[in-house]
Amino acid sequence: MKDRVALRWRLGGLLAAVLVIVALPYMVTRNGASEAIVANERVTHSTEVKSLTYRIAYVTRDSEAAIYRLIHGDFDPQVRLRAERAGHEVPGLLSQLREMTRDSPDQQALIGSLSSTVSGRLALSGQAIMRHEHGDQDGAADAMRDSGTLFKMDDLIDSIVRNENATLLKRRDEARRESFNSGLALTITALAQVLLLAIVVIVSERQISRRLRAEVREGQAVQRSQLIVQAVREPIALLDASLGTLLVNAAFGELYGLPPDFRQSMPLTEIGDGAWTDSALLQRLNDVLLLDRELWDYELIQRTIDGVDRHVVINARRLEQDGGGDPVLLLTLSDVTARALVEQQVKELNRQLEGKIEQVSDVNRELEAFSYSVSHDLRAPLRHISGFAGKLAQHLGDGADERSRHYIEVINDASRRMALLIEDLLVFSRLGRGALRLQPVDMQSLADEARALAETDAHGRHIVWSIAPLPIVIGDENMLRTVWQNLLGNAVKYTGKCDVARIDVDVQRNRDGSYEFVVSDNGAGFDMQYAGKLFGVFQRLHRASEFPGNGIGLANVRRIVTRHGGRVWADAQPNQGARFHFTLPSSDLAESFAQRRP
C-alpha cells in the first residue's frame, strides 16, 4: 500500500515537472508577445493622435486660406468647398481627438482649449464668408484678421504634440523595459527548465537505485523469512485454495513424516496417514479461506506418523497475495501434549488441594467454635468461684485469720484475671469470625483517638509524641481502631520506666503502592531471638510484674492486619525501644477520598 502511494506521488511530481517545463515558457512567451503588441499599439496610438492634431490644424488653415482667396475674388467652386470644409470636418475631428486622449487629463485640457480656439476661428471665418457674400470685403478681411489675432492655435497644437511626444517616449521606455523583462523571464524560465530537468533526472536515477536496492533487500528478506520459517520449531504450512500444500517447514515435515526436501503440492488430507481427516476441522479451514474467518486455538487429538496420540492446537488465517490471485491459508500448530498432561496433573492436585483446604477450614471453624464455646462455658464456673469466694469472705467476716483472707484475695485476683483472659479470647475469636465492613477510614483520626485514650492511662507521665500525617485507607474502622489502640497502648506501657517517653508514628509508600505504618518508642524493647513469639496468643516477653497485660493484644493486631491483606512485624533491642510495622494495601477509592479531605 505504501509503495502504491509513493508511486502515485512520484508520477504526480513528474507530471507537474513536465507541465511546468512546457507551460512556463509558453506563458512567458505569450505574456511577452501580448506586452509587445500592447506597446506597439500604444506607439501607433500616439502617432495617430499627433496625425489627427496636425490634420485639425491643416484643415482649419486650409479653410482660412480658401476664404482669403474668396475675399480676393476667386470664384472657383473648389475654393468655395475648401472654405466650408473646416466647418464640416473639424468638430468631428476634435471629438475623435478627445476620445483618443480620454486617458490623459492634460491632453483633455489642451484639446478643450483647442476646441474653443478652433470654434472661435470657425465662427469668425463664417462671418467673413457672409460679409463677402454681402459685398463687405473690408469687413470680411477684418474678421479674418481678428480670427488669427484673437484665436491663436499654434501653441495649443505644439503643446498637444509635445505631450504626445513625451507620452510616446514613456511608452517606448516601457516597451523597452517590458522587452527586457520578457528576456529576463525567458532566461529564468530556461534556467528553471534546466533545473527541473536535472531534478527529474536525479530523482529518477535515485528512485531507480532505491528500487533496485529495495528489490535486493526484498529478496534477502524473503530468503531470511524462508530460513526463519524452516528454523522455527512450531509446525507451519502454507496451503492453497484447495487445501494443498504450497510450503511446509521442517518441523511440520518431521511431525507428519514428510522428507526434509519436500517441495511438491499434496492434499492436506493425505498427509500424516489420516491425521487431517477431521471433517469439522476441514470445514473450519474452508470457512477461513472462503469467509475470511480466523481459526484460533482449535484443539485436536491427532495420531501422528510415530503412532503417538498428540494434543495439538491449530491456528489458521487467510493471506492475500500481493500480485492478486487466490488467497492462501497460513496454518500453524502447537504440540501441547506435555502441557495437557501437566494440566491434568494440576487439576488433580487442585482437587486434592481443595479437599485439604476444606479440611483445614473445617478444623479452623471447629477451633473457633471450640474457643468461643470454651470462653462462654468457662464464664459460668468462674462466676461461681468468684461469687462463693465473696460469700466465704462474708461468712468468715472479722473472724477470718490473715491466711484465710490471703487465700480469698488470691482467689478473687485469679478470677478477675481469668475473666479478662476469657474476654480477650472472645475478642480474638470474634476477630476471626466476623465479616469485614469495608469503608474509607481516616487513619489520622484513629491514631489521634488512640493517643488520647493512651494518655489517660499514662497518669501524667511526660510523653513526647510525633505523629506524621496519615492517609485514608479502605478497611474495617472498628478493627483498625483496635490496631492503633493496641500499638499506641503498648508503646505507652513499655515506656513506663523512661523519664521522658518518646513515641513516633510514621508512614511511607512502598513500591507496590501499599502503605507501611511504623510505631516507634524508646521503651524496654525486646530480644529479637524471641520475636517469633511476639504475635502469638497469650505470648509475653516480659513478666507481668514488670508490665501488666494478657499477651493477646499483638495477636489481635496480627489477625486484623492479615485479614486486611497486610502483614505485621517488629524489630527492637533490649532497653533501646521497639519499632512495630504493619502494611495495608492502597485503593483508588481511598485515593479519591484522600483528595477530597480538607
Side-chain angles (χ1 to χ4, degrees), residues 72 82 133 136 152 156 199 208 380 401 516 590:
H72 290 87
R82 286 171 56 197
E133 290 177 351
D136 186 4
K152 297 179 179 180
L156 292 174
I199 292 173
I208 292 172
D401 57 10
E516 180 180 335

Side-chain angles (χ1 to χ4, degrees), residues 147-166:
S147 172
T149 303
L150 297 175
F151 299 100
K152 297 179 179 180
M153 68 176 184
D154 292 339
D155 293 339
L156 292 174
I157 294 295
D158 292 340
S159 297
I160 292 173
V161 172
R162 280 197 303 273
N163 283 347
E164 200 61 35
N165 285 332

Side-chain angles (χ1 to χ4, degrees), residues 190-206:
L191 293 176
Q193 286 179 306
V194 173
L195 180 61
L196 285 173
L197 286 173
I199 292 173
V200 169
V201 171
I202 293 172
V203 171
S204 299
E205 193 67 26
R206 184 176 297 177

